[in-house]
PDB file of all heavy atoms in Angstrom:
ATOM      1  N   PRO A 134      75.283 -12.985  33.060  1.00 92.00           N
ATOM      2  CA  PRO A 134      76.105 -11.874  32.533  1.00 92.00           C
ATOM      3  C   PRO A 134      75.556 -11.227  31.269  1.00 92.00           C
ATOM      4  O   PRO A 134      75.718 -10.028  31.062  1.00 92.00           O
ATOM      5  CB  PRO A 134      77.466 -12.536  32.260  1.00 92.00           C
ATOM      6  CG  PRO A 134      77.480 -13.759  33.115  1.00 92.00           C
ATOM      7  CD  PRO A 134      76.066 -14.224  33.201  1.00 92.00           C
ATOM      8  N   LYS A 135      74.922 -12.006  30.374  1.00 92.00           N
ATOM      9  CA  LYS A 135      74.428 -11.476  29.097  1.00 92.00           C
ATOM     10  C   LYS A 135      72.924 -11.699  28.998  1.00 92.00           C
ATOM     11  O   LYS A 135      72.341 -12.480  29.752  1.00 92.00           O
ATOM     12  CB  LYS A 135      75.140 -12.164  27.915  1.00 92.00           C
ATOM     13  CG  LYS A 135      76.642 -11.964  27.885  1.00 92.00           C
ATOM     14  CD  LYS A 135      77.023 -10.540  27.516  1.00 92.00           C
ATOM     15  CE  LYS A 135      78.533 -10.396  27.389  1.00 92.00           C
ATOM     16  NZ  LYS A 135      78.927  -9.025  27.012  1.00 92.00           N
ATOM     17  N   PHE A 136      72.309 -10.998  28.052  1.00 93.00           N
ATOM     18  CA  PHE A 136      70.872 -11.140  27.852  1.00 93.00           C
ATOM     19  C   PHE A 136      70.559 -12.549  27.342  1.00 93.00           C
ATOM     20  O   PHE A 136      71.158 -13.013  26.366  1.00 93.00           O
ATOM     21  CB  PHE A 136      70.363 -10.094  26.858  1.00 93.00           C
ATOM     22  CG  PHE A 136      70.382  -8.700  27.404  1.00 93.00           C
ATOM     23  CD1 PHE A 136      71.448  -7.847  27.143  1.00 93.00           C
ATOM     24  CD2 PHE A 136      69.345  -8.240  28.198  1.00 93.00           C
ATOM     25  CE1 PHE A 136      71.475  -6.561  27.648  1.00 93.00           C
ATOM     26  CE2 PHE A 136      69.358  -6.952  28.710  1.00 93.00           C
ATOM     27  CZ  PHE A 136      70.420  -6.116  28.445  1.00 93.00           C
ATOM     28  N   GLY A 137      69.617 -13.197  27.994  1.00 93.00           N
ATOM     29  CA  GLY A 137      69.264 -14.557  27.632  1.00 93.00           C
ATOM     30  C   GLY A 137      68.143 -14.620  26.616  1.00 93.00           C
ATOM     31  O   GLY A 137      67.281 -13.733  26.547  1.00 93.00           O
ATOM     32  N   ARG A 138      68.148 -15.710  25.830  1.00 93.00           N
ATOM     33  CA  ARG A 138      67.118 -15.925  24.816  1.00 93.00           C
ATOM     34  C   ARG A 138      66.385 -17.253  24.994  1.00 93.00           C
ATOM     35  O   ARG A 138      65.249 -17.392  24.547  1.00 93.00           O
ATOM     36  CB  ARG A 138      67.744 -15.865  23.410  1.00 93.00           C
ATOM     37  CG  ARG A 138      68.298 -14.492  23.072  1.00 93.00           C
ATOM     38  CD  ARG A 138      69.039 -14.485  21.750  1.00 93.00           C
ATOM     39  NE  ARG A 138      69.610 -13.169  21.460  1.00 93.00           N
ATOM     40  CZ  ARG A 138      70.436 -12.916  20.458  1.00 93.00           C
ATOM     41  NH1 ARG A 138      70.787 -13.899  19.624  1.00 93.00           N
ATOM     42  NH2 ARG A 138      70.910 -11.695  20.272  1.00 93.00           N
ATOM     43  N   ASP A 139      67.030 -18.224  25.616  1.00 94.00           N
ATOM     44  CA  ASP A 139      66.394 -19.517  25.833  1.00 94.00           C
ATOM     45  C   ASP A 139      67.190 -20.274  26.886  1.00 94.00           C
ATOM     46  O   ASP A 139      68.367 -19.961  27.145  1.00 94.00           O
ATOM     47  CB  ASP A 139      66.334 -20.318  24.526  1.00 94.00           C
ATOM     48  CG  ASP A 139      65.342 -21.467  24.601  1.00 94.00           C
ATOM     49  OD1 ASP A 139      64.606 -21.542  25.610  1.00 94.00           O
ATOM     50  OD2 ASP A 139      65.310 -22.284  23.661  1.00 94.00           O
ATOM     51  N   PHE A 140      66.543 -21.279  27.489  1.00 94.00           N
ATOM     52  CA  PHE A 140      67.252 -22.119  28.445  1.00 94.00           C
ATOM     53  C   PHE A 140      66.605 -23.498  28.467  1.00 94.00           C
ATOM     54  O   PHE A 140      65.446 -23.676  28.046  1.00 94.00           O
ATOM     55  CB  PHE A 140      67.263 -21.489  29.843  1.00 94.00           C
ATOM     56  CG  PHE A 140      65.940 -21.531  30.558  1.00 94.00           C
ATOM     57  CD1 PHE A 140      65.622 -22.574  31.418  1.00 94.00           C
ATOM     58  CD2 PHE A 140      65.008 -20.520  30.386  1.00 94.00           C
ATOM     59  CE1 PHE A 140      64.406 -22.615  32.077  1.00 94.00           C
ATOM     60  CE2 PHE A 140      63.793 -20.544  31.040  1.00 94.00           C
ATOM     61  CZ  PHE A 140      63.488 -21.599  31.892  1.00 94.00           C
ATOM     62  N   SER A 141      67.373 -24.486  28.971  1.00 94.00           N
ATOM     63  CA  SER A 141      66.900 -25.862  29.097  1.00 94.00           C
ATOM     64  C   SER A 141      67.392 -26.420  30.424  1.00 94.00           C
ATOM     65  O   SER A 141      68.429 -25.989  30.960  1.00 94.00           O
ATOM     66  CB  SER A 141      67.398 -26.733  27.935  1.00 94.00           C
ATOM     67  OG  SER A 141      66.845 -26.295  26.712  1.00 94.00           O
ATOM     68  N   TYR A 142      66.660 -27.413  30.918  1.00 94.00           N
ATOM     69  CA  TYR A 142      66.973 -28.016  32.222  1.00 94.00           C
ATOM     70  C   TYR A 142      67.426 -29.450  32.021  1.00 94.00           C
ATOM     71  O   TYR A 142      66.743 -30.248  31.370  1.00 94.00           O
ATOM     72  CB  TYR A 142      65.751 -27.966  33.130  1.00 94.00           C
ATOM     73  CG  TYR A 142      65.989 -28.538  34.515  1.00 94.00           C
ATOM     74  CD1 TYR A 142      66.951 -27.980  35.362  1.00 94.00           C
ATOM     75  CD2 TYR A 142      65.271 -29.632  34.975  1.00 94.00           C
ATOM     76  CE1 TYR A 142      67.174 -28.495  36.629  1.00 94.00           C
ATOM     77  CE2 TYR A 142      65.484 -30.152  36.239  1.00 94.00           C
ATOM     78  CZ  TYR A 142      66.441 -29.583  37.062  1.00 94.00           C
ATOM     79  OH  TYR A 142      66.670 -30.098  38.317  1.00 94.00           O
ATOM     80  N   HIS A 143      68.620 -29.774  32.569  1.00 93.00           N
ATOM     81  CA  HIS A 143      69.182 -31.122  32.486  1.00 93.00           C
ATOM     82  C   HIS A 143      68.876 -31.836  33.805  1.00 93.00           C
ATOM     83  O   HIS A 143      69.476 -31.544  34.850  1.00 93.00           O
ATOM     84  CB  HIS A 143      70.697 -31.047  32.239  1.00 93.00           C
ATOM     85  CG  HIS A 143      71.322 -32.372  31.955  1.00 93.00           C
ATOM     86  ND1 HIS A 143      72.238 -32.960  32.804  1.00 93.00           N
ATOM     87  CD2 HIS A 143      71.158 -33.236  30.921  1.00 93.00           C
ATOM     88  CE1 HIS A 143      72.616 -34.121  32.306  1.00 93.00           C
ATOM     89  NE2 HIS A 143      71.970 -34.303  31.159  1.00 93.00           N
ATOM     90  N   TYR A 144      67.929 -32.759  33.776  1.00 91.00           N
ATOM     91  CA  TYR A 144      67.439 -33.394  35.002  1.00 91.00           C
ATOM     92  C   TYR A 144      68.495 -34.243  35.711  1.00 91.00           C
ATOM     93  O   TYR A 144      68.579 -34.205  36.946  1.00 91.00           O
ATOM     94  CB  TYR A 144      66.208 -34.245  34.683  1.00 91.00           C
ATOM     95  CG  TYR A 144      64.950 -33.432  34.506  1.00 91.00           C
ATOM     96  CD1 TYR A 144      64.578 -32.940  33.252  1.00 91.00           C
ATOM     97  CD2 TYR A 144      64.133 -33.136  35.584  1.00 91.00           C
ATOM     98  CE1 TYR A 144      63.436 -32.185  33.085  1.00 91.00           C
ATOM     99  CE2 TYR A 144      62.976 -32.386  35.433  1.00 91.00           C
ATOM    100  CZ  TYR A 144      62.636 -31.914  34.179  1.00 91.00           C
ATOM    101  OH  TYR A 144      61.491 -31.155  34.035  1.00 91.00           O
ATOM    102  N   PRO A 145      69.331 -35.041  35.025  1.00 91.00           N
ATOM    103  CA  PRO A 145      70.289 -35.875  35.770  1.00 91.00           C
ATOM    104  C   PRO A 145      71.274 -35.079  36.622  1.00 91.00           C
ATOM    105  O   PRO A 145      71.643 -35.506  37.718  1.00 91.00           O
ATOM    106  CB  PRO A 145      71.006 -36.661  34.665  1.00 91.00           C
ATOM    107  CG  PRO A 145      70.045 -36.686  33.534  1.00 91.00           C
ATOM    108  CD  PRO A 145      69.335 -35.376  33.588  1.00 91.00           C
ATOM    109  N   SER A 146      71.723 -33.911  36.124  1.00 91.00           N
ATOM    110  CA  SER A 146      72.724 -33.126  36.864  1.00 91.00           C
ATOM    111  C   SER A 146      72.145 -31.894  37.549  1.00 91.00           C
ATOM    112  O   SER A 146      72.884 -31.161  38.213  1.00 91.00           O
ATOM    113  CB  SER A 146      73.838 -32.685  35.915  1.00 91.00           C
ATOM    114  OG  SER A 146      73.317 -31.859  34.888  1.00 91.00           O
ATOM    115  N   CYS A 147      70.830 -31.633  37.406  1.00 92.00           N
ATOM    116  CA  CYS A 147      70.175 -30.454  37.979  1.00 92.00           C
ATOM    117  C   CYS A 147      70.823 -29.156  37.494  1.00 92.00           C
ATOM    118  O   CYS A 147      70.990 -28.194  38.253  1.00 92.00           O
ATOM    119  CB  CYS A 147      70.202 -30.502  39.511  1.00 92.00           C
ATOM    120  SG  CYS A 147      69.316 -31.903  40.197  1.00 92.00           S
ATOM    121  N   ASP A 148      71.202 -29.120  36.217  1.00 93.00           N
ATOM    122  CA  ASP A 148      71.844 -27.936  35.641  1.00 93.00           C
ATOM    123  C   ASP A 148      70.864 -27.214  34.720  1.00 93.00           C
ATOM    124  O   ASP A 148      70.133 -27.848  33.934  1.00 93.00           O
ATOM    125  CB  ASP A 148      73.090 -28.322  34.838  1.00 93.00           C
ATOM    126  CG  ASP A 148      74.241 -28.751  35.729  1.00 93.00           C
ATOM    127  OD1 ASP A 148      74.175 -28.468  36.937  1.00 93.00           O
ATOM    128  OD2 ASP A 148      75.183 -29.384  35.218  1.00 93.00           O
ATOM    129  N   LEU A 149      70.890 -25.887  34.805  1.00 94.00           N
ATOM    130  CA  LEU A 149      70.161 -25.034  33.870  1.00 94.00           C
ATOM    131  C   LEU A 149      71.151 -24.460  32.862  1.00 94.00           C
ATOM    132  O   LEU A 149      72.165 -23.864  33.247  1.00 94.00           O
ATOM    133  CB  LEU A 149      69.452 -23.901  34.606  1.00 94.00           C
ATOM    134  CG  LEU A 149      68.144 -24.239  35.329  1.00 94.00           C
ATOM    135  CD1 LEU A 149      67.689 -23.047  36.163  1.00 94.00           C
ATOM    136  CD2 LEU A 149      67.058 -24.622  34.345  1.00 94.00           C
ATOM    137  N   TYR A 150      70.885 -24.656  31.571  1.00 95.00           N
ATOM    138  CA  TYR A 150      71.749 -24.165  30.499  1.00 95.00           C
ATOM    139  C   TYR A 150      71.075 -22.947  29.870  1.00 95.00           C
ATOM    140  O   TYR A 150      69.956 -23.046  29.339  1.00 95.00           O
ATOM    141  CB  TYR A 150      71.962 -25.246  29.442  1.00 95.00           C
ATOM    142  CG  TYR A 150      72.844 -26.393  29.900  1.00 95.00           C
ATOM    143  CD1 TYR A 150      72.339 -27.408  30.708  1.00 95.00           C
ATOM    144  CD2 TYR A 150      74.177 -26.457  29.523  1.00 95.00           C
ATOM    145  CE1 TYR A 150      73.141 -28.456  31.128  1.00 95.00           C
ATOM    146  CE2 TYR A 150      74.992 -27.502  29.926  1.00 95.00           C
ATOM    147  CZ  TYR A 150      74.465 -28.495  30.731  1.00 95.00           C
ATOM    148  OH  TYR A 150      75.270 -29.523  31.134  1.00 95.00           O
ATOM    149  N   PHE A 151      71.758 -21.800  29.923  1.00 95.00           N
ATOM    150  CA  PHE A 151      71.223 -20.545  29.387  1.00 95.00           C
ATOM    151  C   PHE A 151      72.043 -20.134  28.163  1.00 95.00           C
ATOM    152  O   PHE A 151      73.281 -20.122  28.207  1.00 95.00           O
ATOM    153  CB  PHE A 151      71.286 -19.422  30.433  1.00 95.00           C
ATOM    154  CG  PHE A 151      70.416 -19.669  31.631  1.00 95.00           C
ATOM    155  CD1 PHE A 151      70.935 -20.279  32.763  1.00 95.00           C
ATOM    156  CD2 PHE A 151      69.081 -19.304  31.626  1.00 95.00           C
ATOM    157  CE1 PHE A 151      70.145 -20.512  33.865  1.00 95.00           C
ATOM    158  CE2 PHE A 151      68.279 -19.536  32.722  1.00 95.00           C
ATOM    159  CZ  PHE A 151      68.807 -20.144  33.855  1.00 95.00           C
ATOM    160  N   VAL A 152      71.339 -19.770  27.066  1.00 95.00           N
ATOM    161  CA  VAL A 152      71.982 -19.254  25.855  1.00 95.00           C
ATOM    162  C   VAL A 152      71.405 -17.874  25.575  1.00 95.00           C
ATOM    163  O   VAL A 152      70.267 -17.558  25.947  1.00 95.00           O
ATOM    164  CB  VAL A 152      71.761 -20.193  24.648  1.00 95.00           C
ATOM    165  CG1 VAL A 152      72.381 -21.538  24.892  1.00 95.00           C
ATOM    166  CG2 VAL A 152      70.277 -20.343  24.337  1.00 95.00           C
ATOM    167  N   GLY A 153      72.198 -17.051  24.912  1.00 93.00           N
ATOM    168  CA  GLY A 153      71.741 -15.694  24.614  1.00 93.00           C
ATOM    169  C   GLY A 153      72.732 -14.930  23.777  1.00 93.00           C
ATOM    170  O   GLY A 153      73.410 -15.498  22.906  1.00 93.00           O
ATOM    171  N   ALA A 154      72.844 -13.633  24.042  1.00 92.00           N
ATOM    172  CA  ALA A 154      73.694 -12.740  23.250  1.00 92.00           C
ATOM    173  C   ALA A 154      75.153 -12.890  23.659  1.00 92.00           C
ATOM    174  O   ALA A 154      75.823 -11.921  24.018  1.00 92.00           O
ATOM    175  CB  ALA A 154      73.228 -11.299  23.426  1.00 92.00           C
ATOM    176  N   SER A 155      75.654 -14.103  23.602  1.00 91.00           N
ATOM    177  CA  SER A 155      77.037 -14.383  23.980  1.00 91.00           C
ATOM    178  C   SER A 155      77.449 -15.706  23.351  1.00 91.00           C
ATOM    179  O   SER A 155      76.605 -16.540  22.998  1.00 91.00           O
ATOM    180  CB  SER A 155      77.177 -14.460  25.505  1.00 91.00           C
ATOM    181  OG  SER A 155      78.469 -14.891  25.875  1.00 91.00           O
ATOM    182  N   SER A 156      78.749 -15.907  23.215  1.00 92.00           N
ATOM    183  CA  SER A 156      79.261 -17.176  22.701  1.00 92.00           C
ATOM    184  C   SER A 156      79.308 -18.251  23.770  1.00 92.00           C
ATOM    185  O   SER A 156      79.565 -19.416  23.458  1.00 92.00           O
ATOM    186  CB  SER A 156      80.665 -16.964  22.110  1.00 92.00           C
ATOM    187  OG  SER A 156      81.560 -16.507  23.120  1.00 92.00           O
ATOM    188  N   GLU A 157      79.075 -17.892  25.033  1.00 93.00           N
ATOM    189  CA  GLU A 157      79.151 -18.844  26.131  1.00 93.00           C
ATOM    190  C   GLU A 157      77.760 -19.347  26.500  1.00 93.00           C
ATOM    191  O   GLU A 157      76.760 -18.629  26.389  1.00 93.00           O
ATOM    192  CB  GLU A 157      79.799 -18.193  27.359  1.00 93.00           C
ATOM    193  CG  GLU A 157      81.256 -17.800  27.146  1.00 93.00           C
ATOM    194  CD  GLU A 157      81.842 -17.144  28.378  1.00 93.00           C
ATOM    195  OE1 GLU A 157      81.046 -16.610  29.191  1.00 93.00           O
ATOM    196  OE2 GLU A 157      83.065 -17.155  28.539  1.00 93.00           O
ATOM    197  N   VAL A 158      77.713 -20.606  26.938  1.00 94.00           N
ATOM    198  CA  VAL A 158      76.497 -21.221  27.460  1.00 94.00           C
ATOM    199  C   VAL A 158      76.661 -21.296  28.973  1.00 94.00           C
ATOM    200  O   VAL A 158      77.508 -22.044  29.483  1.00 94.00           O
ATOM    201  CB  VAL A 158      76.266 -22.620  26.854  1.00 94.00           C
ATOM    202  CG1 VAL A 158      75.001 -23.237  27.435  1.00 94.00           C
ATOM    203  CG2 VAL A 158      76.182 -22.546  25.335  1.00 94.00           C
ATOM    204  N   TYR A 159      75.848 -20.518  29.693  1.00 94.00           N
ATOM    205  CA  TYR A 159      75.987 -20.437  31.143  1.00 94.00           C
ATOM    206  C   TYR A 159      75.275 -21.620  31.796  1.00 94.00           C
ATOM    207  O   TYR A 159      74.153 -21.974  31.419  1.00 94.00           O
ATOM    208  CB  TYR A 159      75.418 -19.119  31.662  1.00 94.00           C
ATOM    209  CG  TYR A 159      76.035 -17.913  31.012  1.00 94.00           C
ATOM    210  CD1 TYR A 159      75.314 -17.130  30.114  1.00 94.00           C
ATOM    211  CD2 TYR A 159      77.358 -17.563  31.269  1.00 94.00           C
ATOM    212  CE1 TYR A 159      75.889 -16.036  29.505  1.00 94.00           C
ATOM    213  CE2 TYR A 159      77.935 -16.457  30.665  1.00 94.00           C
ATOM    214  CZ  TYR A 159      77.202 -15.701  29.781  1.00 94.00           C
ATOM    215  OH  TYR A 159      77.775 -14.618  29.176  1.00 94.00           O
ATOM    216  N   ARG A 160      75.939 -22.174  32.823  1.00 94.00           N
ATOM    217  CA  ARG A 160      75.392 -23.323  33.550  1.00 94.00           C
ATOM    218  C   ARG A 160      75.165 -22.939  35.015  1.00 94.00           C
ATOM    219  O   ARG A 160      76.079 -22.452  35.689  1.00 94.00           O
ATOM    220  CB  ARG A 160      76.345 -24.516  33.477  1.00 94.00           C
ATOM    221  CG  ARG A 160      76.556 -25.044  32.062  1.00 94.00           C
ATOM    222  CD  ARG A 160      77.342 -26.344  32.091  1.00 94.00           C
ATOM    223  NE  ARG A 160      78.630 -26.190  32.733  1.00 94.00           N
ATOM    224  CZ  ARG A 160      79.257 -27.163  33.429  1.00 94.00           C
ATOM    225  NH1 ARG A 160      78.684 -28.335  33.581  1.00 94.00           N
ATOM    226  NH2 ARG A 160      80.437 -26.940  33.966  1.00 94.00           N
ATOM    227  N   LEU A 161      73.946 -23.175  35.470  1.00 94.00           N
ATOM    228  CA  LEU A 161      73.575 -22.901  36.859  1.00 94.00           C
ATOM    229  C   LEU A 161      73.123 -24.209  37.490  1.00 94.00           C
ATOM    230  O   LEU A 161      72.116 -24.801  37.073  1.00 94.00           O
ATOM    231  CB  LEU A 161      72.452 -21.857  36.915  1.00 94.00           C
ATOM    232  CG  LEU A 161      71.895 -21.538  38.304  1.00 94.00           C
ATOM    233  CD1 LEU A 161      72.988 -20.986  39.220  1.00 94.00           C
ATOM    234  CD2 LEU A 161      70.736 -20.555  38.196  1.00 94.00           C
ATOM    235  N   ASN A 162      73.882 -24.672  38.489  1.00 93.00           N
ATOM    236  CA  ASN A 162      73.560 -25.917  39.175  1.00 93.00           C
ATOM    237  C   ASN A 162      72.613 -25.617  40.335  1.00 93.00           C
ATOM    238  O   ASN A 162      72.948 -24.853  41.244  1.00 93.00           O
ATOM    239  CB  ASN A 162      74.837 -26.591  39.688  1.00 93.00           C
ATOM    240  CG  ASN A 162      74.558 -27.962  40.247  1.00 93.00           C
ATOM    241  OD1 ASN A 162      74.243 -28.122  41.417  1.00 93.00           O
ATOM    242  ND2 ASN A 162      74.681 -28.970  39.386  1.00 93.00           N
ATOM    243  N   LEU A 163      71.423 -26.207  40.298  1.00 92.00           N
ATOM    244  CA  LEU A 163      70.419 -25.948  41.322  1.00 92.00           C
ATOM    245  C   LEU A 163      70.661 -26.764  42.590  1.00 92.00           C
ATOM    246  O   LEU A 163      70.137 -26.415  43.645  1.00 92.00           O
ATOM    247  CB  LEU A 163      69.018 -26.251  40.770  1.00 92.00           C
ATOM    248  CG  LEU A 163      68.598 -25.448  39.541  1.00 92.00           C
ATOM    249  CD1 LEU A 163      67.166 -25.779  39.159  1.00 92.00           C
ATOM    250  CD2 LEU A 163      68.740 -23.954  39.790  1.00 92.00           C
ATOM    251  N   GLU A 164      71.465 -27.817  42.491  1.00 91.00           N
ATOM    252  CA  GLU A 164      71.761 -28.609  43.692  1.00 91.00           C
ATOM    253  C   GLU A 164      72.797 -27.900  44.554  1.00 91.00           C
ATOM    254  O   GLU A 164      72.664 -27.818  45.782  1.00 91.00           O
ATOM    255  CB  GLU A 164      72.256 -29.989  43.280  1.00 91.00           C
ATOM    256  CG  GLU A 164      72.520 -30.920  44.463  1.00 91.00           C
ATOM    257  CD  GLU A 164      73.016 -32.279  44.020  1.00 91.00           C
ATOM    258  OE1 GLU A 164      73.306 -32.446  42.822  1.00 91.00           O
ATOM    259  OE2 GLU A 164      73.117 -33.171  44.867  1.00 91.00           O
ATOM    260  N   GLN A 165      73.840 -27.353  43.925  1.00 92.00           N
ATOM    261  CA  GLN A 165      74.882 -26.642  44.662  1.00 92.00           C
ATOM    262  C   GLN A 165      74.540 -25.170  44.848  1.00 92.00           C
ATOM    263  O   GLN A 165      75.132 -24.502  45.709  1.00 92.00           O
ATOM    264  CB  GLN A 165      76.214 -26.762  43.923  1.00 92.00           C
ATOM    265  CG  GLN A 165      76.655 -28.205  43.689  1.00 92.00           C
ATOM    266  CD  GLN A 165      77.935 -28.285  42.884  1.00 92.00           C
ATOM    267  OE1 GLN A 165      78.695 -27.318  42.808  1.00 92.00           O
ATOM    268  NE2 GLN A 165      78.194 -29.433  42.273  1.00 92.00           N
TER     269      GLN A 165
END
Side-chain angles (χ1 to χ4, degrees):
K135 299 289 184 179
F136 290 96
R138 295 174 182 172
D139 197 8
F140 73 93
S141 295
Y142 181 61
H143 188 246
Y144 282 90
S146 61
C147 298
D148 288 344
L149 282 172
Y150 289 79
F151 295 93
V152 297
S155 173
S156 61
E157 295 179 337
V158 179
Y159 304 109
R160 296 188 302 149
L161 176 60
N162 187 272
L163 301 184
E164 183 180 8
Q165 303 177 20

